[in-house]
Each structure stands twice: as C-alpha cells, then as structure tokens.
Amino acid sequence: MSAEAVLELADSLVFRATGKHLNDLQRKILQAVWRRQTYSEIARRLRYTEGHVKDVASQIWQALSQSLDERVTKSNSLTVLERSLKQAKEALPPTLPPPVAEAAHFVGREAAIADLTQLIAQGHRAIVLQGEGGIGKTTLAQQFLECQPWDVVLELLMAKETANITPVEQVVEEWLRQDFQIEPGQDFGVTLDRLRRRLREVRDGIVIDNLEPAYTAQGRIWPQHSRYGDLKRVLCDPKGQTVTLLTRRDRLCEPGVTVTHYRLPGLSPETWQQFFESRTIALSPETLAAMHRAYGGNAKAMNILTGAISGDFDGDGDAYWQAIGADPLTALDLKNLVTSQANRLEGLDADAYRLFCRLGAYRYQDVPRVPIEGLLALMWDIDPAHHRQVITSLRNRSLVESHKGHYWLHPVVQAEASERLRQSGEATQTHTQARQFWTQHVTTIHTIAEATQACEAYYHALAIADYGGAAEVLLNSRHNQWGQHLTLGSTLYRMGLLQPAMTAISTLLPHLPQDQRASELRNILADVYWISGKIHAAISMQKQAQAIARQGLDAASATTADDHEIYCWRMLEVDALLSLGLYHLDLWELADAAGYFRAVVTAAKDTPHQSWADKAALCLALVASHSLHDAQVDLGESPLALATPLAEQAYGAIADTTRPEYTGRFAFFIQLLAQTYTTLGDVERAAELSHRALAFPEESHYVQVKAKALVGRGKLRRQQGELAVAIHAIEDALVLLEELGAQGDLAEAHYQLGLAYQQKGDPEQAQVHLMSAIHRFEAIQAPHQVAKVRAVL
C-alpha cells in the first residue's frame, strides 16, 4: 500500500469522524508512520517535541477508531488501513472504463522501467530521460518514482516559458521547509549545502520536468537562471542517496554535472495496436503502420488520435486517416497534430475551443493541476448546463489531462493553447477570471500548499501587467493558524517563504503609485528584510512606508476623506513606527527604539488602534528593563518606575488568557514580555510567559518565535543558576536559528550562551560564543550590540 493511498484513506476516515481533513502536521506524521519511524525519530525530523507528536498522533488514532468502530493504534494502524482499503475496493460496483486520458497514461514501458532499475542498481544517481515532446518522459519519471519506497518524492515542473521560471532560491527554500522540515539559510550557498546533506543521508526521488526553457538555443543555461546549474550539481552529486530523473528533449551537456542519458523510444506498434483495440478503434494493419510511422510511436499522439477517431469518426480509424489526407511517407510531429486538432475543434465545438484556449492561461507549475472549479471559472459566457459537456469534449479528444477531478495541459498542448489565447483578444479577461478563481478558492491559509495556491492569483495579474491587481492579491487577508486575519504577503514570510514574498513585492513596487498599497507592501517587505537579518535595509524600507502613510494621513485629514480611509492611513503609520522600534531594539539602539514606541503610544492610545499602543507599551517596558543595566541610556525617567507598571499593563492587555480576544497571534510579543519579567527578576511570571510563548509555535511551527522563546528561557534559567538547563535551551535555539539564518537572533543566542558558560566557570567556551556574537553583530552593523558583548569579555 502506497503512502498516497494511506493518506487518502485516512483523510476520508478522519473527515467522516470529525468533519475536518488532516492538517499538514498530521499528514507528515502519518507518512512517517508508514515509513516505520518511531515517535522520537518523527519528532526529531519534524522539529517538534516527542510529546507533541504523540498528542497529535493520538488524535488521529482516536478519529480512525471512531470512524472504523475498532481500536486503532500506531502499531496496528497500517494493517487496519490496508484491510479497510481492500474492503472498500471489493465493495465498489463495476464501473465503465475511464476516459482515455486516465486509462492509458502509462502503457508499454516495462522495458524502460527495467532499464532504469538496472541503471540505479549500478549506482547512477542522475538520469536524463531524453526524447521528443509527448513521447512519455514525464509520465515514465512520475510512475517510476511512485512505485519505489522513497522517503520523499519531489517534483519540479519547470515553466513553459523562460520568463515564467520560478527563481531557484524559491524552489529550494520550499523543498527544505515544506518537504524536509529544514529551514533554508540566508545565503543560497548555505541553503544548497543543507540540501546536499539531506540528499546524502536519505533516499529521496526527484523529478525535474521540462528543462528546455532554462537553456538558450546554444544549449547554455540562461544567465538569469545560472543558479539552476548549481542546483543540478547538488542533485547530481555522486555521493548522494537520492535519485534524480530529469526530462529533456536534447542531451544535457553542462560542466560539472555528471548524468546518464537514457533515450526513451516511441511505443511499439504492438502497444499501439493493443491500445487501439482496447478502445474499440478499427484500424487496418496498413493504416496502423502508417500512423505509427508518421508519429514515431509518440504516446501523446496516440491518445489524441484515439480521441479524434472515437469522437468524430465513430471509431473508424481508416476513415479518419483518409479524411485528413495524411501522406504515409510524411513525418509528422505532435505539435502539428495538436494544431490540426485545435483547428478541427474550432469548427466543430466553439464552446470547447474557447475553453481550450483559455486553459492556456494557467501555469501548471507551482500548482501543476487545476481543480474542476478552475475550469468552470473560465466558462463565464457558456451556458452552465453545458459546462460538463464542454469539459468532456476536451477530455475525449485528449486535449486536457485529468485525474480525480483535477486538470492540466500537456506542455505541447499548453503552448498551443497559450498562443491561441494571446491571439484571441481574451487574454486580459481570462487571466482576470483565473485570478479571481484562485483568490476565492483559497479561503484560509494553514499550509504552504494553500499559500502556494493563493500566489497563483498574483501571477495571473502579473501576466497582463495588472500591477494594482497583483498588489491586491498580496494584500488580501485570510484567516490562518495563528488566529489572525493576515495578508498573503505577511503570511508568506510568517510561514518562512521569504524569497517568494521578497521577489513578488520588489517586482511590484516600481509600478505602483505612492498610495496605501505601496505603503503596506513596503511595510511587509521591511519585515522580510528584518527576518532575513538585513536590518538596515529594513529600516530604510520601513521609513519609506511610514513617510507615505504620513503624507496620506495629512492629505486625508485636510480633505473630506471618510473615517475608514483615515483609519487605514493611521494604522499603516503606527505599524511602521512599531516595526522601526523593534528594528532599533535589535540593534541595541535603546533610546531610538523607545522614541518609536512612545510615538506609537501617543498616536494610538484610546483610539481604534489601541492594540498597537498595547504592543508598543509592552516593548517600551522591555527597553526600560534593559536600561536598568545600561547607564548610558536616558529614557527621561527611572527605568524601574517605567518598566514595572508598563509590564503589568501589557500583561493585562495582551497576555491575560481570560480575555476573549487572547489568541496565538500575540506569541511574538508574549516572548518579549517574558524577557521583560526575566530582567525585572519576576521569575514566576517570566516562567509562565516563557512556557506559553513556546506552546504557540509548537502548534503552528512559528520557528522564529520558538527560537527566541528558547533563548529567553535559557536566560531565565541562567539567572536561577540552572546552568545545564539554560545551556541546553539556548543550544536548541541555535539549531533553529542556524537553519533560519536570522543573524541578529543568532548573535543574541551566542551572547546568552557565552554568559551561561561564564557563569558555569568555562572561560574557553564562553570566549568562543561571545566572539561569535561579536562577529555576527558586526556583520549586521550593530555597533551598540558589539559594545554590549565586549563589556562582558
């Protein structure tokens, strides 16, 4: 039983019992159980505590037990699911043969599978499946990997056009985070090293499909995509355990990349004959031989021919071949066949032809398959009563592929559809409809897959230079696992998808007027820079956001602008000021940080933006507590007199669990408040907040907060003299932060670890970590932080 079958069955059973589908963590735990991993191994790999993994798994077993009316545990779960799957299959009524696109997508490749198996057994780790379009390279690669016991199977579908290729940094970042639960590094070289280590440790399977758009006509990789060459060198590492299958029409000749080429032949005449007979297609031996010779045994051509003969000639293959006037001596190709079928469709079924062209708008890349609702969204001018008939018409002609209610176009077919869409004059409306579909289709974002789907709307807006629409996509708010109503842009970086957020916003900003959207996007981009360790770039970008907001607020206040517009401008301004305070706090520029936090309190207190005032007051309490030990910082009043009441006020406003609005969205600020109480010496309150700050990221995998909370716990335990516990907590934080690449947080963790070793009486280790903190603070140009560390050497 495959992992996919386990997940599908378990998901349906859990849904039957609870009304909810499996979430991302539950699916990963089930996949690990299928690989016979222990709870401790699962916890270590997913970077959760073993107790949390057991709790989540227990919920799965309880739901399965309820649904199946028998006790299900980790030890018997696979046996129970396998038996249930078998019983379900036996209970299914007889069904009609599925459409051509589903029934014959993989035939006649026994010899190819045997060849690939032998190559891998001989130690070949990177194999290029070479052959013309439609010959079946992608299908063979996918099917071969699906039937092998890999730890993880990854698939990279390259864009059909060079301009649409996803940046390789984004690809690797998503692989590490989503599929391997490894945080990418700040530097792409570090990220590739982490991927290389992973691929040497485990046996994964990878498909990279359709390499052509990344290369020039001369066979060289395009300069703007040169880092794909770096990725391929990692994937083709002869020391790796992973097997990579690459599909390409021509040979791959690239320095430093060791690959084995396997030319995929066309399907045999015998396979064609068997296939046509199974489809009740009548063909004379002469016609079959002529067709096979003309198309070189091309698998996709065989499917399209079957659809055309069945649909338009009542299964009479000889009549079809005679009607199209084909010269048996003429070599035809798949592109010409698709063109001829599209031309014929235009004359026979205008509605199906319109949908065919419009389907060329979808990218079939980051989201390789589109649900049926995506097709329905493109039939805005077609009678809804005919929608299913239109889709069936395309399926029967094999002009659209389908599987379990999801649809996609073969690359050759997609190229034809896209070109016809450009010529039709409907490109703008089609991309607009597609953008609206993806926006409405993704209602909440709890997983990276949902975030990726939501981003598709952005690319549709970009395709027609609708920069305002693209901005609206990034600023569209949805509910998420942190109990917030957060914009897509903010959700991307919160989930750790820094590269997609950075690329998308940077692309848009030069094309937008200085309006609210521009201010909010700059605010988000500044936070991305901050998390990436580029604090001075973050400050510059956030000041731009604040300046635009200030100008907009002044202009709105001087006119008859409605209250909502003024509210939005004010929100953007106070949010920018709050962020600037946090950035300066990380630089240990305490007086500047205090100034920004006070500005937020002044602007937001007793207004509809009171929550910003609450957060700023909490941050001001933290600054004041730090100032207790830094005589050079002048806050204008006693730090203790300032810190204590502000901390109590913040606790009541943000951290009080009895308040109905209390949710995990305050996790970041709760760990800041825990730091404040630690510095003030309130051990009980600090411990309580530290524990809660760690609980939230355990549930939502908010890595940065988890790491910062662990550092805070280490500082608290050090002050209590529990040095072993303190060192262990900070070392756990260092593992997370090294993977996240947050240089400022890393520096602070090394500083706290150095202090712990000092207190333990280990000057050598203390020196190592304190010097590491200095080097990292110097790298982000934080001289005040450097001085703080040097003061304890």
Side-chain angles (χ1 to χ4, degrees):
M1 184 171 58
S2 68
E4 182 180 0
V6 170
L7 288 174
E8 288 187 6
L9 178 59
D11 183 70
S12 64
L13 293 173
V14 169
F15 185 80
R16 181 197 300 174
T18 66
K20 295 181 179 179
H21 290 287
L22 292 170
N23 60 35
D24 193 45
L25 177 57
Q26 290 171 326
R27 295 178 73 87
K28 289 173 181 174
I29 290 174
L30 267 179
Q31 287 175 323
V33 170
W34 180 76
R35 292 192 291 270
R36 306 316 199 265
Q37 292 182 354
T38 65
Y39 280 134
S40 61
E41 291 172 335
I42 297 171
R44 185 165 58 253
R45 181 181 176 190
L46 299 184
R47 298 196 179 282
Y48 287 94
T49 64
E50 184 175 347
H52 185 63
V53 169
K54 287 182 177 179
D55 289 342
V56 174
S58 176
Q59 296 169 3
I60 302 174
W61 312 142
Q62 289 175 12
L64 291 175
S65 299
Q66 180 181 343
S67 186
L68 294 170
D69 197 25
E70 66 175 295
R71 186 169 182 265
V72 179
T73 65
K74 179 177 183 291
S75 59
N76 75 353
S77 58
L78 297 183
T79 302
V80 172
L81 288 171
E82 189 169 23
R83 183 178 69 247
S84 299
L85 186 63
K86 182 179 179 181
Q87 292 172 348
K89 287 181 176 179
E90 291 174 348
L92 287 175
T95 58
L96 294 174
V100 170
E102 293 183 10
H105 66 298
F106 191 62
V107 292
R109 291 303 184 194
E110 294 80 8
I113 289 178
D115 290 343
L116 291 177
T117 302
Q118 183 176 4
L119 287 172
I120 293 171
Q122 293 171 349
H124 299 275
R125 290 291 175 262
I127 302 172
V128 177
L129 300 181
Q130 184 186 349
E132 66 185 43
I135 203 71
K137 304 183 295 295
T138 303
T139 302
L140 173 61
Q142 293 170 334
Q143 291 294 323
F144 180 79
L145 291 184
E146 279 184 13
C147 65
Q148 303 291 323
W150 312 101
D151 283 279
V152 174
V153 174
L154 300 177
E155 187 173 12
L156 171 57
L157 303 180
M158 298 291 287
K160 311 306 183 289
E161 299 177 357
T162 302
N164 295 330
I165 293 177
T166 302
V168 69
E169 296 90 341
Q170 178 176 333
V171 171
V172 180
E173 181 179 281
E174 292 183 14
W175 279 358
L176 289 177
R177 181 170 284 111
Q178 181 173 354
D179 298 291
F180 301 145
Q181 292 76 52
I182 298 173
E183 289 298 323
Q186 249 187 308
D187 178 77
F188 186 60
V190 175
T191 296
L192 284 181
D193 284 340
R194 290 175 183 171
L195 178 63
R196 182 184 289 107
R197 286 199 300 271
R198 158 75 193 196
L199 301 184
R200 288 182 175 181
E201 293 171 355
V202 296
R203 192 168 184 266
D204 296 326
I206 298 177
V207 176
I208 300 184
D209 186 42
N210 186 34
L211 284 170
E212 271 70 25
Y215 288 82
T216 67
Q218 292 74 36
R220 298 187 181 93
I221 199 163
W222 286 102
Q224 64 269 37
H225 299 298
S226 61
R227 284 185 165 179
Y228 268 101
D230 299 331
L231 171 60
K232 284 200 287 294
R233 279 185 279 277
V234 170
L235 296 179
C236 300
D237 178 8
K239 297 180 181 179
Q241 298 297 312
T242 292
V243 171
T244 301
L245 301 181
L246 306 98
T247 70
R248 185 172 164 81
R249 297 181 186 179
D250 302 315
R251 290 183 66 84
L252 179 63
C253 302
E254 192 171 340
V257 177
T258 302
V259 298
T260 302
H261 287 84
Y262 180 82
R263 176 167 283 281
L264 188 63
L267 295 171
S268 68
E270 292 75 21
T271 298
W272 271 47
Q273 181 179 357
Q274 293 170 8
F275 178 76
F276 285 128
E277 286 177 353
S278 72
R279 292 285 158 281
T280 63
I281 301 294
L283 282 170
S284 67
E286 295 78 17
T287 300
L288 175 63
M291 292 171 63
H292 183 272
R293 182 171 59 252
Y295 292 105
N298 188 285
K300 183 59 181 174
M302 180 182 70
N303 276 272
I304 293 178
L305 289 170
T306 301
I309 295 169
S310 297
D312 300 336
F313 288 84
D314 295 326
D316 189 340
D318 292 337
Y320 167 81
W321 197 241
Q322 183 177 2
I324 66 172
D327 182 350
L329 300 178
T330 302
L332 305 178
D333 62 19
L334 179 60
K335 182 181 183 304
N336 288 332
L337 177 59
V338 173
T339 299
S340 67
Q341 290 304 308
N343 289 338
R344 184 171 182 81
L345 181 65
E346 184 177 15
L348 293 177
D349 191 336
D351 288 343
Y353 177 75
R354 283 201 295 274
L355 177 59
F356 168 75
C357 297
R358 293 168 184 174
L359 284 173
Y362 288 121
R363 301 191 314 144
Y364 312 103
Q365 186 177 331
D366 298 334
V367 181
R369 299 178 179 183
V370 179
I372 190 171
E373 294 82 3
L375 276 64
L376 302 178
L378 300 189
M379 293 189 278
W380 63 84
D381 55 353
I382 298 174
D383 184 352
H386 297 158
H387 283 180
R388 301 281 175 170
Q389 177 183 335
V390 169
I391 296 172
T392 300
S393 179
L394 292 183
R395 290 178 65 195
N396 288 343
R397 288 178 167 82
S398 290
L399 291 176
V400 64
E401 316 285 332
S402 66
H403 183 65
K404 295 183 179 180
H406 287 71
Y407 297 79
W408 69 98
L409 298 185
H410 184 279
V412 176
V413 178
Q414 201 255 358
E416 183 74 21
S418 297
E419 180 57 33
R420 289 175 182 252
L421 177 63
R422 280 190 284 266
Q423 297 174 1
S424 70
E426 291 189 336
T428 298
Q429 187 170 1
T430 301
H431 279 290
T432 300
Q433 291 290 130
R435 172 195 142 200
Q436 292 173 355
F437 158 69
W438 286 117
T439 299
Q440 296 166 4
H441 181 71
V442 183
T443 57
T444 60
I445 298 180
H446 294 126
T447 66
I448 290 177
E450 290 170 340
T452 302
Q453 287 187 13
C455 284
E456 286 297 298
Y458 164 85
Y459 294 110
H460 285 293
L462 208 62
I464 54 176
D466 181 6
Y467 301 113
E472 290 177 9
V473 170
L474 295 176
L475 296 176
N476 183 35
S477 295
R478 296 176 176 87
H479 288 288
N480 56 39
Q481 70 262 48
W482 302 291
Q484 292 175 294
H485 200 60
L486 206 62
T487 65
L488 174 59
S490 297
T491 300
L492 289 176
Y493 81 71
R494 179 72 69 84
M495 298 184 102
L497 300 177
L498 304 182
Q499 188 65 42
M502 194 180 302
T503 301
I505 297 174
S506 299
T507 300
L508 286 187
L509 288 180
H511 303 283
L512 296 176
Q514 303 299 293
D515 57 9
Q516 287 185 359
R517 296 172 303 181
S519 177
E520 190 167 1
L521 287 173
R522 282 177 168 83
N523 179 289
I524 296 170
L525 183 57
D527 279 348
V528 174
Y529 287 150
W530 174 43
I531 294 173
S532 303
K534 304 172 184 176
I535 298 183
H536 291 280
I539 290 173
S540 176
M541 186 60 62
Q542 199 64 263
K543 284 183 176 179
Q544 293 178 36
Q546 191 265 335
I548 295 173
R550 182 71 256 173
Q551 293 171 3
L553 183 59
D554 290 342
S557 300
T559 64
T560 57
D562 60 40
D563 292 342
H564 180 71
E565 181 180 356
I566 293 176
Y567 171 88
C568 292
W569 282 120
R570 177 71 71 186
M571 178 186 68
L572 290 171
E573 182 184 37
V574 297
D575 197 57
L577 292 170
L578 179 64
S579 295
L580 285 165
L582 290 171
Y583 304 165
H584 283 282
L585 179 58
D586 273 7
L587 293 173
W588 208 247
E589 296 171 354
L590 299 182
D592 290 336
Y596 283 113
F597 294 141
R598 280 175 165 150
V600 175
V601 173
T602 299
K605 187 174 182 180
D606 298 326
T607 75
H609 303 91
Q610 178 63 44
S611 62
W612 275 267
D614 293 337
K615 295 173 186 175
L618 182 153
C619 295
L620 187 56
L622 178 59
V623 172
S625 70
H626 286 322
S627 301
L628 289 169
H629 309 287
D630 193 334
Q632 297 182 1
V633 179
D634 183 10
L635 299 181
E637 55 186 296
S638 165
L640 184 60
L642 182 63
T644 302
L646 283 176
E648 288 298 305
Q649 173 189 328
Y651 183 85
I654 288 178
D656 186 354
T657 56
T658 63
R659 294 170 64 94
E661 67 272 25
Y662 174 82
T663 68
R665 69 179 184 271
F666 293 126
F668 179 84
F669 291 95
I670 286 175
Q671 60 88 20
L672 291 183
L673 190 57
Q675 292 183 40
T676 303
Y677 278 111
T678 297
T679 306
L680 292 175
D682 190 335
V683 174
E684 182 177 349
R685 183 63 62 82
E688 171 207 340
L689 292 170
S690 177
H691 175 75
R692 282 159 49 190
L694 279 169
F696 286 125
E698 283 284 0
E699 297 172 0
S700 60
H701 206 48
Y702 192 172
V703 177
Q704 187 188 28
V705 169
K706 181 177 181 179
K708 291 172 77 73
L710 283 169
V711 174
R713 170 177 287 182
K715 180 179 178 181
L716 174 63
R717 296 307 184 193
R718 173 177 62 81
Q719 292 181 355
Q720 293 177 290
E722 300 176 18
L723 298 180
V725 177
I727 290 172
H728 180 72
I730 301 172
E731 286 178 341
D732 283 349
L734 281 173
V735 172
L736 297 175
L737 292 170
E738 284 285 359
E739 294 181 347
L740 188 63
Q743 294 302 308
D745 292 331
L746 267 171
E748 179 63 23
H750 279 289
Y751 170 62
Q752 292 297 335
L753 192 54
L755 294 178
Y757 276 113
Q758 266 190 350
Q759 191 168 328
K760 185 182 179 183
D762 187 341
E764 184 175 345
Q765 280 295 317
Q767 179 82 359
V768 168
H769 290 287
L770 291 174
M771 290 306 300
S772 179
I774 288 174
H775 294 325
R776 293 176 186 277
F777 279 134
E778 286 177 340
I780 64 172
Q781 301 175 49
H784 294 281
Q785 289 279 26
V786 172
K788 178 188 76 174
V789 181
R790 289 194 184 280
V792 302
L793 280 171

